[in-house]
């Protein structure tokens, strides 16, 4: 009788434990995603039509991103090339690399950087917390009246200083109080490991000088900077992609 009473209790404990393990595993798996920044650099010995023919013939759009991988951003950073940020489980890293090697090489030279989202870590420090998610649809003629500029800012680390020294400089220079300036919104603020911080801003053209001054006054000395006009390529090429999975940060 004693064992008969204990058996249901034991089974209940096992069930609860199994459910807890499943919940934990599901949660861990959901969070076990990697960001990867890929530079597809243009070869200016070929025209855009020639580049397009090569990647079409090689099956670029059918294979990138692979199944199980999502696009975060797909921008043209003018003067650099295409900059693609993907979200993927670590198990898909080899599949992304193979897709690039098989279908992007010859059309582009490539660089890849493991990446993480810095914005949630620094948001509380920013005076201007304006952040937006870009529309994945093409801009209509009517919407062009309200069109804004995208700007990609590379804040490259100076490895002659450690992170504490860099942080002290930008704090003292008022970096977080001045970037982004009022009227400017953050699209993404990522760390591309081995490169530095990659910040994409949305702004009216009238705010271009304010962004440049904010960088010169508060980011120089802590970082070396590069600034590139940018546009959102994803709405233009989405119809070509076999895998249209997209996520927002």
């Amino acid at each position: 009788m004693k064992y008969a009473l204990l058996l249901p209790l034991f089974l209940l404990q096992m069930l609860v434990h199994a459910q807890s393990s499943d919940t934990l595993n599901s949660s861990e798996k959901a969070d076990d995603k990697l960001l990867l920044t890929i530079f597809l650099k243009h070869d200016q010995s070929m025209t855009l039509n020639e580049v397009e023919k090569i990647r079409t013939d090689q099956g670029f759009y059918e294979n990138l991103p692979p199944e199980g991988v999502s696009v975060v951003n797909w921008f043209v950073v003018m003067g650099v090339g295409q900059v693609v940020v993907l979200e993927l489980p670590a198990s898909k890293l080899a599949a992304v690399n193979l897709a690039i090697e098989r279908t992007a090489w010859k059309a582009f030279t490539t660089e890849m950087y493991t990446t993480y989202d810095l914005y949630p870590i620094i948001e509380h420090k920013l005076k201007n917390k304006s952040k937006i998610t870009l529309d994945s649809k093409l801009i209509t003629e009517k919407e062009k009246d309200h069109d804004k500029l995208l700007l990609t800012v590379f804040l490259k680390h100076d490895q002659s200083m450690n992170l504490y020294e860099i942080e002290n400089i930008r704090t003292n220079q008022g970096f977080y109080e001045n970037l982004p300036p009022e009227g400017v919104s953050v699209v993404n603020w990522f760390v591309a490991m081995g490169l530095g911080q990659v910040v994409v801003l949305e702004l009216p053209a009238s705010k271009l000088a304010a962004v440049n001054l904010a960088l010169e006054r508060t980011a120089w000395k802590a970082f070396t900077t590069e600034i590139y006009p940018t546009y959102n390529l994803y709405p233009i090429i989405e119809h070509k992609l076999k895998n249209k999975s997209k996520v927002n940060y």
Side-chain angles (χ1 to χ4, degrees), residues 46-61 103 106-107 240:
M46 295 185 287
T47 66
L48 186 59
N49 291 337
E50 290 171 321
V51 171
E52 180 66 10
K53 185 177 188 305
I54 290 169
R55 57 181 173 175
T56 299
D57 291 346
Q58 293 180 166
F60 179 86
Y61 297 112
T103 71
K106 192 175 180 181
K240 297 182 180 182

Side-chain angles (χ1 to χ4, degrees), residues 81-137:
Q82 296 180 27
V83 178
V84 185
V85 180
L86 301 177
E87 181 194 71
L88 59 146
S91 61
K92 289 288 184 178
L93 192 58
V96 171
N97 189 55
L98 283 171
I100 293 290
E101 291 176 342
R102 289 171 176 165
T103 71
W105 285 6
K106 192 175 180 181
F108 303 100
T109 56
T110 63
E111 295 175 12
M112 302 187 207
Y113 300 91
T114 48
T115 299
Y116 62 89
D117 188 4
L118 188 65
Y119 188 80
I121 300 170
I122 64 168
E123 182 183 9
H124 70 283
K125 298 181 180 181
L126 301 177
K127 181 179 178 182
N128 174 14
K129 302 180 191 298
S130 176
K131 189 174 189 304
I132 60 154
T133 299
L134 295 180
D135 194 338
S136 61
K137 297 178 182 177

